[in-house]
Amino acid sequence: MTLEYWVSAEKWYHLWAPLLLDSIFLLILIAVFSVYKRYTKIGKSLFVFSLLIVSGMALVTVINNRKFQAYLEPVRHVTPLIRQMQYKPFTGYEPLTRQTIEAYTRYHDVEGIKATGLYQEEWVSEPVRFLGKKQRHFYFEKDGIEFKQYEASVVFDPEAKETAAIGTTYHLVNPDFETIGFSDTPYVFYDHLVIAEKDYKKEYEPGDEYLVPTLEEILRTWTF
């Protein structure tokens, strides 16, 4: 999707379409009023004129709604996580408030970002060392810090080159979208932990398992 198409669609749905609908409603009221004056020359002219204009506006509305239909699905998934500006009728693009942006800073919305069709996915790997497993938690070490992760997001791959936390980050396919507030994702989105070692089932006894932090507490530049 091009920037020009997106901007045109945005202006259509937020500015021109509402104006046209309001105008159509007003003209319908005029046409209804002119019915009572249908026996006068002015009344007939006003009635016919109103119907012609309403028909033309309705046709334009239908045509543009079809033209910009491809915009409706992607825009549903746009949040302040990836866009820090919004379009306002008559004033153009304005920045969102800091509070709104901060509220979405760590919003984990991988599927939503993909659904916009505006981003390219990049896989990221953060190496860690596998220590072992206790019950339903796996224990790892990174930079001398021990941490744990629940088994649901841990996988074993004997062909993996290293044990690592795996995540994704997203970059705008078209950098021109930055001019209307879009940006690359600021954090890495956690996907899973992969264990490359053959001793996947080895046991481990942490000093105090309740005090051991999770990966989320260790990787502060990632979202979970």
Side-chain angles (χ1 to χ4, degrees):
M1 187 177 297
T2 65
L3 175 64
E4 292 75 16
Y5 179 88
W6 186 282
V7 170
S8 297
E10 202 151 47
K11 290 181 178 179
W12 166 249
Y13 285 111
H14 292 278
L15 176 60
W16 300 117
L19 286 177
L20 275 177
L21 291 176
D22 289 342
S23 299
I24 289 173
F25 178 73
L26 179 61
L27 287 170
I28 289 176
L29 290 180
I30 293 175
V32 171
F33 172 76
S34 65
V35 169
Y36 296 98
K37 304 291 184 179
R38 63 184 180 276
Y39 298 114
T40 67
K41 185 175 181 180
I42 295 178
K44 291 180 180 179
S45 299
L46 190 60
F47 181 75
V48 172
F49 176 76
S50 298
L51 287 184
L52 288 175
I53 297 300
V54 167
S55 299
M57 289 183 172
L59 181 60
V60 170
T61 300
V62 171
I63 291 174
N64 279 336
N65 281 343
R66 289 183 177 179
K67 177 182 178 181
F68 297 119
Q69 188 173 12
Y71 161 86
L72 295 177
E73 177 59 24
V75 76
R76 289 180 54 248
H77 302 281
V78 175
T79 69
L81 171 67
I82 56 175
R83 191 184 189 187
Q84 293 78 49
M85 297 178 72
Q86 62 180 341
Y87 176 78
K88 291 187 176 181
F90 306 110
T91 59
Y93 292 96
E94 297 182 0
L96 299 174
T97 63
R98 179 180 298 179
Q99 291 82 359
T100 301
I101 296 174
E102 290 179 350
Y104 281 83
T105 298
R106 305 191 73 86
Y107 184 38
H108 195 88
D109 186 31
V110 172
E111 295 305 318
I113 295 173
K114 290 180 179 179
T116 66
L118 302 177
Y119 288 84
Q120 181 178 5
E121 184 178 69
E122 177 187 352
W123 286 93
V124 178
S125 176
E126 186 72 30
V128 297
R129 186 168 69 89
F130 178 52
L131 300 176
K133 178 181 179 181
K134 180 180 181 181
Q135 297 178 343
R136 308 195 70 173
H137 279 94
F138 288 83
Y139 290 82
F140 303 85
E141 181 269 330
K142 174 177 171 53
D143 299 330
I145 302 176
E146 178 185 356
F147 67 91
K148 62 185 177 183
Q149 192 69 6
Y150 191 65
E151 65 179 3
S153 67
V154 179
V155 299
F156 173 58
D157 182 1
E159 297 182 358
K161 295 181 179 180
E162 61 182 0
T163 295
I166 306 297
T168 54
T169 186
Y170 296 86
H171 307 282
L172 279 167
V173 175
N174 185 352
D176 290 342
F177 275 81
E178 293 178 359
T179 61
I180 57 172
F182 284 90
S183 64
D184 293 346
T185 53
Y187 293 95
V188 178
F189 297 91
Y190 172 75
D191 189 79
H192 65 279
L193 261 163
V194 59
I195 298 176
E197 286 89 342
K198 296 180 180 180
D199 50 356
Y200 172 75
K201 295 183 179 180
K202 73 177 181 181
E203 298 294 323
Y204 179 75
E205 188 62 43
D208 189 335
E209 59 186 290
Y210 298 104
L211 296 179
V212 177
T214 62
L215 179 61
E216 182 174 358
E217 297 173 89
I218 299 299
L219 295 181
R220 302 303 300 166
T221 57
W222 291 43
T223 64
F224 292 78

